[in-house]
């Protein structure tokens, strides 16, 4: 039976990514993504409350989905599929889209003269890497998928999966400590949390895939979410005024992260495990939204703040709506163009398959 809550978590997290990026652009705490435009300091709270866990949740879900995928293919076919669906779109992003991102960053910060003496191809490479934007997720997920293939080969008898299925709620809570430890390993450029994301991805594959584990989380999701939100309030007070990216590995923030992961997985499995036309639409377009939203967002933010003097709240609203609309249109448009749809990892037949699935269930 299809686990619809996984699809629903994915598109919901991607919408939260857009929300976070808008808040970060206008943040008052010195976030890495800020364009130094004025904003509403109180809205920084949104960033403190969602940044610690939303990508962590996405890696857990990716681990569960990897388990489902590997039930249908061997490890070699799995890595080939991930290269096509993750590595190729990542490379396409940094070549075709990254320079648009970094070009604005260079212009806003007034540093084009720093590249004047460099060869053009070197400048292009610098701009492409600087403009990696949200495509970093694709690269890291591909690397983790390749690691998983190696781990599965070493664990042919499935001992890790059997061990993961035996976890009780107290053990799941105690896993906070290895999660905290892994967060301190290879935190690179405020983006790549290699140790943490690898552990969470493997936990998705070996632990949270099991129905027994999910039933426990569903049963206790409300107290988990309640204590998680209490920890979230505490870590927001503790972290206030510090850039989001500089607080995430703190023990209090990681406690909030872990409790929210457990609570949200349980809540999604309990109340979000359904399919409708709206959820199918969002699921089928979520990758395009994630892939294409960032460049329209930063250009819209720069244009609005540079050309107009609007109430600050309107800047947030307009930038969000514009980037969401532009990403949807770009995803649908490029999805209909042969070659480009493959380069950007877009699927053209997913909507029709999902509609057919809805009819079968109704």
């Amino acid at each position: 039976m299809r686990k619809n809550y996984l699809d629903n978590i994915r598109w919901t997290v991607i919408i939260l990514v857009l929300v976070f990026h808008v808040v970060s652009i206008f943040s008052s705490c010195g976030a890495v993504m800020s364009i130094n435009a004025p904003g509403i300091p109180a809205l920084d709270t949104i960033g403190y409350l969602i940044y610690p866990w939303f990508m962590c949740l996405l890696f857990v879900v990716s681990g569960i989905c990897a388990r489902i995928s590997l039930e249908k293919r061997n490890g070699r076919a799995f890595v080939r599929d991930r290269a096509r669906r993750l590595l190729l779109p990542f490379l396409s992003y940094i070549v075709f889209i990254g320079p648009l991102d970094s070009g604005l960053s260079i212009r806003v910060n007034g540093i084009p003269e720093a590249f004047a003496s460099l060869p053009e191809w070197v400048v292009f490479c610098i701009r492409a890497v600087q403009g990696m934007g949200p495509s970093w997720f694709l690269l890291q997920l591909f690397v983790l998928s390749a690691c998983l293939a190696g781990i599965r080969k070493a664990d042919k008898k499935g001992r890790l999966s059997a061990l993961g299925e035996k976890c009780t709620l107290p053990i799941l809570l105690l896993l906070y400590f290895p999660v905290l430890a892994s967060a301190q390993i290879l935190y690179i450029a405020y983006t790549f949390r290699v140790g943490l994301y690898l552990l969470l991805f493997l936990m998705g594959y070996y632990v949270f895939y099991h129905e027994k584990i999910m039933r426990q989380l569903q049963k206790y999701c409300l107290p988990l979410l309640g204590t998680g939100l209490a920890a979230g309030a505490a870590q927001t007070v503790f972290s206030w005024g510090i850039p989001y990216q500089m607080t995430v590995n703190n023990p209090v923030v990681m406690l909030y992260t872990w409790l929210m992961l457990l609570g949200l997985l349980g809540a999604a499995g309990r109340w979000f495990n359904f399919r409708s036309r709206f959820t199918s639409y969002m699921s089928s377009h979520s990758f395009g939204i994630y892939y294409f939203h960032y460049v329209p967002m930063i250009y819209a933010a720069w244009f609005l703040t540079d050309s107009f003097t609007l109430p600050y709240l309107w800047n947030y609203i307009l930038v969000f709506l514009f980037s969401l609309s532009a990403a949807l249109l770009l995803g649908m448009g490029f999805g209909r163009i042969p070659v480009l749809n493959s380069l950007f990892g877009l699927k053209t037949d997913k909507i029709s398959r999902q509609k057919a699935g809805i009819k079968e269930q109704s």
Side-chain angles (χ1 to χ4, degrees), residues 23 26 28 33 46 54 61 87 96 101 112 122 135 153 164 181 185 200 230-231 257 291 324 348 357:
V23 170
F26 299 113
S28 303
M33 293 174 53
I46 298 173
F54 66 162
V61 168
L87 186 58
F96 297 110
D101 176 357
V122 173
S135 69
K153 192 172 183 179
I185 301 172
L200 294 176
T257 298
Y291 195 80
L324 176 60
T348 57

Side-chain angles (χ1 to χ4, degrees), residues 240-258:
W240 192 261
I242 305 173
Y244 311 121
Q245 295 86 351
M246 296 180 65
T247 68
V248 288
N249 295 334
N250 179 277
V252 178
V253 180
M254 287 305 305
L255 177 62
Y256 168 57
T257 298
W258 186 236

Side-chain angles (χ1 to χ4, degrees), residues 168-186:
T168 60
L169 184 63
I171 293 175
L172 290 174
L173 292 172
L174 289 173
L175 286 175
Y176 159 72
F177 293 101
V179 168
L180 173 63
S182 68
Q184 318 307 317
I185 301 172
L186 295 177

Side-chain angles (χ1 to χ4, degrees), residues 182-238:
S182 68
Q184 318 307 317
I185 301 172
L186 295 177
Y187 181 31
I188 302 171
Y190 299 115
T191 300
F192 295 96
R193 306 175 73 183
V194 179
L196 176 63
Y197 290 151
L198 174 60
L199 180 59
L200 294 176
F201 180 74
L202 294 177
M203 283 184 174
Y205 185 92
Y206 287 109
V207 179
F208 296 112
Y209 167 82
H210 297 293
E211 292 297 329
K212 176 183 175 182
I213 304 298
M214 287 303 301
R215 284 195 296 269
Q216 293 183 70
L217 296 182
Q218 290 169 26
K219 182 178 179 180
Y220 295 104
C221 64
L222 288 179
L224 286 168
L225 288 174
T227 53
L229 290 173
Q235 68 89 20
T236 299
V237 173
F238 173 83

Side-chain angles (χ1 to χ4, degrees), residues 304-305 308-315 318:
L304 284 175
T305 56
F308 302 97
T309 306
L310 298 174
Y312 294 162
L313 182 59
W314 275 107
N315 287 333
L318 292 175

Side-chain angles (χ1 to χ4, degrees), residues 102-103 105-107 110-120 122-128 130:
S102 59
S105 176
I106 292 169
R107 177 176 178 178
I111 57 174
E113 62 276 6
F115 297 148
S117 60
L118 297 176
E120 290 187 6
V122 173
V123 174
F124 177 84
C125 291
I126 292 174
R127 290 180 60 177
Q130 185 184 20

Side-chain angles (χ1 to χ4, degrees), residues 271-299:
W271 293 304
F272 214 18
N273 192 29
F274 62 86
R275 194 176 188 180
S276 67
R277 293 189 182 277
F278 175 75
T279 61
S280 294
Y281 178 86
M282 294 301 296
S283 295
S284 64
H285 291 86
S286 60
F287 183 82
I289 293 172
Y290 181 82
Y291 195 80
F292 291 112
H293 80 274
Y294 189 62
V295 168
M297 178 178 287
I298 59 173
Y299 274 86

Side-chain angles (χ1 to χ4, degrees), residues 291-342:
Y291 195 80
F292 291 112
H293 80 274
Y294 189 62
V295 168
M297 178 178 287
I298 59 173
Y299 274 86
W302 169 73
F303 176 77
L304 284 175
T305 56
D306 189 64
S307 304
F308 302 97
T309 306
L310 298 174
Y312 294 162
L313 182 59
W314 275 107
N315 287 333
Y316 287 81
I317 295 172
L318 292 175
V319 169
F320 175 81
L321 292 176
F322 177 79
S323 59
L324 176 60
S325 302
L328 279 169
L329 291 173
L330 289 170
M332 290 187 291
F334 285 121
R336 291 176 170 83
I337 301 175
V339 180
L340 288 181
N341 55 17
S342 297

